[in-house]
Amino acid sequence: MKWIDFEKPNTVEDAVKLLSDSGGNARAMAGGTDLIVMLRVGHPRVNPDVVVDIKSIPELNELSYDANKGLTVGAAVECYKIYGDDNVNSHFSALNDSATLIGGTQIQGRASFGGNLCNAAPSGDSIPNMIAHRAVATITGPSGTREVPVEDICTGPGQTSIESDELLISINFPSNGAGFGANYIRFIPRNEMDIAVAGVGASVTIEDGKFTSARVSLASVAPTPLLVEEAGEALVGQPVSEGAIQKAADLAKAAAKPISDMRGTADYRKHLCDVLTRRALTTAVERAQGAS
Amino acid sequence: MPGKTYVQTTINGEHVDFLCEPRQSLLECLRDEIGLTGTKEGCNDGNCGACTVNIDGRIVTSCLVLGVEAEGANIETIEGVADGSNLHPLQLAFLENAALQCGICTPGFIISSKALLEQNPNPTEHEIRFWLANNLCRCTGYDKIVRAVQDAAKRLQEA
């Protein structure tokens, strides 16, 4: 590995200053489960001279719930803290679908949703789940703080709308009313420790047997995780039925723009979008009805 | 050339300080700077789990931790598992169930399994396999490892 400078600031202000002073050569590190690997191989795009460890900054370790504000997950909060959190388990249990399947136990001890988002892999297992939950990212830079819906963060494989002098602070999940359910599932050749061939995050809200809101988001079938707005919109106002869910699955399949690679062909991935969307929505409906 | 960083840490209950470059992984620091070579390097990218250590109660792959991050940490490695010449029940169970052949993956499996049994003293086979998914073994086919963990769980509960 080439030489790096290591910084461990204690405040957001100091971290942003380190990032902005480096002229684009610094990178924030949470668990480092992607970054350290990229540094070791001399990745052509992610190869910073300065690593800024952000795990000592209080705001980035926040994991809190408020019925009005929703759930706040600091950018450095490790997966194991998410699935070990009472508020997550009570109000946002579908986030555990992602937190328990990113890597294995050891990776979950380090990896964070924040890092998964900033790494911006098309296959990032937490990202479609965050999008399905209408999560919003809080980002601070030299000129202030802005809030951006998660679906607007990833702009290409490994690329985000977060500038090199900006820091992802946290991800906020709005509170869900009664009748809300969500699910993330992926297809991989083994049960753990693999990269999604395709993945689907889905959420629904059901009142009086009808969908009042729905969202479908796809992983690994486009250059970025994809929000398929038309799939969710097709469900709104419809009574809960297999036919309505199939229509949304058809729209998700149509929206997928996958490539063929060693993990699967484009046709196979499109087929998976149909099957996985149907299953994710069905589970989301079951959870919504169980919760209401 | 920039200098090395002074790191103070606790390893297997003893204060340890060492010098390292920020680019060195904790795995490299353990093996090359501190001389604790029980922790093994396999893939060096977080997939195989051979380098698993326990930091502040959580198992991690030490190849994906920078040595400088160990400042103030409490680390457990394979060298700290036995009590002197008395093997830990997990180590005995691995030996008696033939849960190792070449042995490279074994320190990682022991550290991972120990953390599992500390939080879940009586895991199901499914829970054991799920917990150990980040540890790869190319010799045993895993069945003997799972049986050894089950055996160790029984020994620890009877102890």
Side-chain angles (χ1 to χ4, degrees), chain B residues 2-156:
Chain B
K4 292 190 171 187
T5 301
Y6 175 60
V7 179
Q8 297 191 73
T9 185
T10 301
I11 302 179
N12 301 323
E14 289 182 20
H15 176 83
V16 174
D17 51 5
F18 61 94
L19 290 169
C20 72
E21 297 179 352
R23 62 180 162 183
Q24 284 181 289
S25 68
L26 176 60
L27 172 62
E28 289 171 67
C29 294
L30 287 170
R31 293 182 58 85
D32 302 339
E33 307 299 332
I34 303 168
L36 291 173
T37 54
T39 304
K40 303 304 181 193
E41 178 184 313
C43 66
N44 217 21
D45 64 12
N47 273 287
C48 79
C51 67
T52 300
V53 299
N54 192 315
I55 303 182
D56 297 329
R58 293 295 308 179
I59 54 169
V60 297
T61 42
S62 61
C63 71
L64 294 186
V65 178
L66 297 176
V68 289
E69 289 185 80
E71 175 65 36
N74 195 345
I75 300 169
E76 181 188 34
T77 69
I78 188 65
E79 287 89 347
V81 173
D83 178 14
S85 58
N86 295 319
L87 293 182
H88 186 277
L90 260 168
Q91 294 171 306
L92 288 170
F94 267 62
L95 283 171
E96 292 172 18
N97 288 276
L100 66 152
Q101 289 175 34
C102 85
I104 286 287
C105 72
T106 311
F109 268 101
I110 297 275
I111 292 290
S112 294
S113 304
K114 187 164 178 281
L116 170 64
L117 296 181
E118 280 164 3
Q119 72 157 51
N120 182 356
N122 191 21
T124 65
E125 179 181 343
H126 179 85
E127 287 169 334
I128 293 168
R129 288 184 185 273
F130 195 74
W131 182 271
L132 295 176
N134 208 159
N135 291 84
L136 300 184
C137 172
R138 299 294 80 170
C139 301
T140 63
Y142 301 102
D143 278 353
K144 291 175 176 177
I145 291 173
V146 173
R147 283 201 286 275
V149 176
Q150 289 171 317
D151 184 19
K154 203 190 299 177
R155 290 171 193 233
L156 283 160

Side-chain angles (χ1 to χ4, degrees), chain A residues 29-284:
Chain A
M29 181 178 88
T33 54
D34 287 307
L35 181 59
I36 292 174
V37 176
M38 289 191 275
L39 281 164
R40 191 166 286 142
V41 300
H43 193 279
R45 193 173 29 75
V46 181
N47 203 10
D49 296 325
V50 183
V51 167
V52 181
D53 184 339
I54 45 97
K55 290 191 290 294
S56 292
I57 304 173
E59 291 90 333
L60 280 82
N61 288 304
E62 182 178 351
L63 180 56
S64 66
Y65 173 74
D66 176 287
N68 295 318
K69 283 168 58 185
L71 180 75
T72 299
V73 180
V77 173
E78 298 91 340
C79 286
Y80 81 90
K81 286 184 186 156
I82 293 175
Y83 57 70
D85 186 72
D86 290 342
N87 286 317
V88 171
N89 291 321
S90 300
H91 305 291
F92 292 90
S93 58
L95 295 182
N96 294 341
D97 298 339
S98 298
T100 57
L101 61 62
I102 292 174
T105 314
Q106 289 91 318
I107 299 297
Q108 289 156 17
R110 294 269 292 174
S112 62
F113 279 20
N116 200 225
L117 180 57
C118 292
N119 191 53
S123 56
D125 282 309
S126 72
I127 306 173
N129 206 345
M130 291 194 263
I131 293 172
H133 280 83
R134 294 182 170 77
V136 175
T138 299
I139 298 159
T140 297
S143 53
T145 295
R146 62 195 180 102
E147 299 198 332
V148 182
V150 169
E151 59 267 28
D152 295 334
I153 297 288
C154 301
T155 55
Q159 293 176 313
T160 69
S161 57
I162 302 171
E163 301 294 334
S164 63
D165 59 358
E166 289 184 316
L167 180 66
L168 175 66
I169 307 296
S170 63
I171 300 151
N172 188 269
F173 298 83
S175 282
N176 305 302
F180 177 87
N183 182 219
Y184 175 75
I185 49 171
R186 67 178 180 188
F187 178 80
I188 57 173
R190 60 180 290 211
N191 287 330
E192 305 92 10
M193 291 294 294
D194 210 340
I195 293 170
V197 182
V200 175
S203 74
V204 299
T205 308
I206 299 170
E207 283 174 33
D208 300 327
K210 285 185 178 175
F211 292 103
T212 56
S213 73
R215 266 198 166 193
V216 173
S217 178
L218 309 176
S220 285
V221 293
T224 66
L226 215 57
L227 168 63
V228 188
E229 289 186 81
E230 59 271 28
E233 285 164 3
L235 290 170
V236 176
Q238 299 292 315
V240 174
S241 71
E242 285 182 18
I245 288 171
Q246 184 58 57
K247 174 84 167 100
D250 291 341
L251 289 166
K253 181 181 178 182
K257 302 275 183 290
I259 56 168
S260 295
D261 66 11
M262 66 175 190
R263 293 201 165 77
T265 63
D267 282 350
Y268 184 50
R269 286 191 155 107
K270 283 184 84 77
H271 174 69
L272 283 170
C273 287
D274 174 7
V275 175
L276 296 178
T277 300
R278 205 182 326 132
R279 290 182 186 173
L281 280 168
T282 302
T283 300

